[in-house]
Amino acid sequence: QKEVEQDPGPLSVPEGAIVSLNCTYSNSAFQYFMWYRQYSRKGPELLMYTYSSGNKEDGRFTAQVDKSSKYISLFIRDSQPSDSATYLCAMEDTGGFKTIFGAGTRLFVKA
Amino acid sequence: NAGVTQTPKFQVLKTGQSMTLQCAQDMNHNSMYWYRQDPGMGLRLIYYSASEGTTDKGEVPNGYNVSRLNKREFSLRLESAAPSQTSVYFCASREDRKLNTQYFGPGTRLTVL
């Protein structure tokens, strides 16, 4: 079983829709939770990060962490065609240098 | 500030050939990483260097070697390439283990025939 599970999609939505992207994990030691966005043929770039449980909002993006369920989510409001990309969840414990990434979900936002 | 740069951008090798992927960062970061990305597998850590002079194995180190040449540069070497090493390779750097933002390079697309 993978430490981090993420549905690869693809997920196709119309412009303006609310998008929900999710990951589950098995390692209860994870404390830092990140979302990276990766455009086609580019390197990933950090979009959001949260520490421990709770919500964090940045513009149209909201990250949620539910440690009791080992479940994290990224919500995108008023989705735009420019949001079309692959979204990777990632997580770390407090002890080391290693980040564990999900497989990524491909999102298409249709104009 | 160029950030993280990688060379080459593309490479085709024959089975058994060797090559070195180069990575450099100009952000004075301590930690550097090499990942490979395969469809459906996400990013998998090959090797990392927590600081200049140290390197450690990641999840998938077999068939690779690394050198942390100085604080700026971290190279990945394939001694005898195999078709299973066909992948996109990303280098990343991070200032400190407590700061979670990794900065990624543009990637090297490697095909081994």
Side-chain angles (χ1 to χ4, degrees), chain A residues 14-94:
Chain A
E15 183 176 358
I18 296 174
V19 176
S20 173
L21 303 168
N22 311 294
C23 288
T24 59
Y25 63 95
S26 57
N27 187 345
S28 58
F30 289 144
Q31 294 286 340
Y32 296 96
F33 303 91
M34 287 76 74
W35 286 95
Y36 283 80
R37 179 175 60 195
Q38 184 177 22
Y39 290 114
S40 181
R41 296 184 176 267
K42 301 288 186 184
E45 55 180 350
L46 185 70
L47 193 60
M48 300 276 288
Y49 86 89
T50 53
Y51 172 70
S52 196
S53 285
N55 293 1
K56 185 172 184 178
E57 188 173 319
D58 184 1
R60 296 184 295 111
F61 298 89
T62 300
Q64 283 187 353
V65 175
D66 181 350
K67 290 189 69 183
S68 62
S69 301
K70 295 189 179 69
Y71 189 87
I72 71 170
S73 301
L74 177 71
F75 297 96
I76 306 175
R77 290 183 298 280
D78 187 26
S79 56
Q80 303 295 310
S82 58
D83 295 328
S84 297
T86 296
Y87 291 80
L88 301 112
C89 63
M91 38 201 87
E92 295 179 358
D93 62 27
T94 56

Side-chain angles (χ1 to χ4, degrees), chain B residues 9 13 23 29 38-39 47-48 60 63 78 82 87-88 92 104-105 108 112:
Chain B
K9 286 186 169 53
L13 292 177
C23 173
H29 286 171
D38 303 292
Y47 271 93
Y48 69 99
V60 288
L78 287 70
S87 188
V88 182
F104 285 83
T108 295
V112 183

Side-chain angles (χ1 to χ4, degrees), chain B residues 15 19 43 46-47 51 91:
Chain B
T15 296
M19 78 161 296
L43 286 161
I46 304 171
Y47 271 93
S51 61
C91 177

Side-chain angles (χ1 to χ4, degrees), chain A residues 38 41 46 92 95 99, chain B residues 33 37 94 97 101-102 109:
Chain A
Q38 184 177 22
R41 296 184 176 267
L46 185 70
E92 295 179 358
T99 307
Chain B
Y33 304 79
Q37 188 174 38
R94 177 159 77 175
R97 59 189 283 178
T101 303
Q102 290 189 46
R109 291 181 174 272

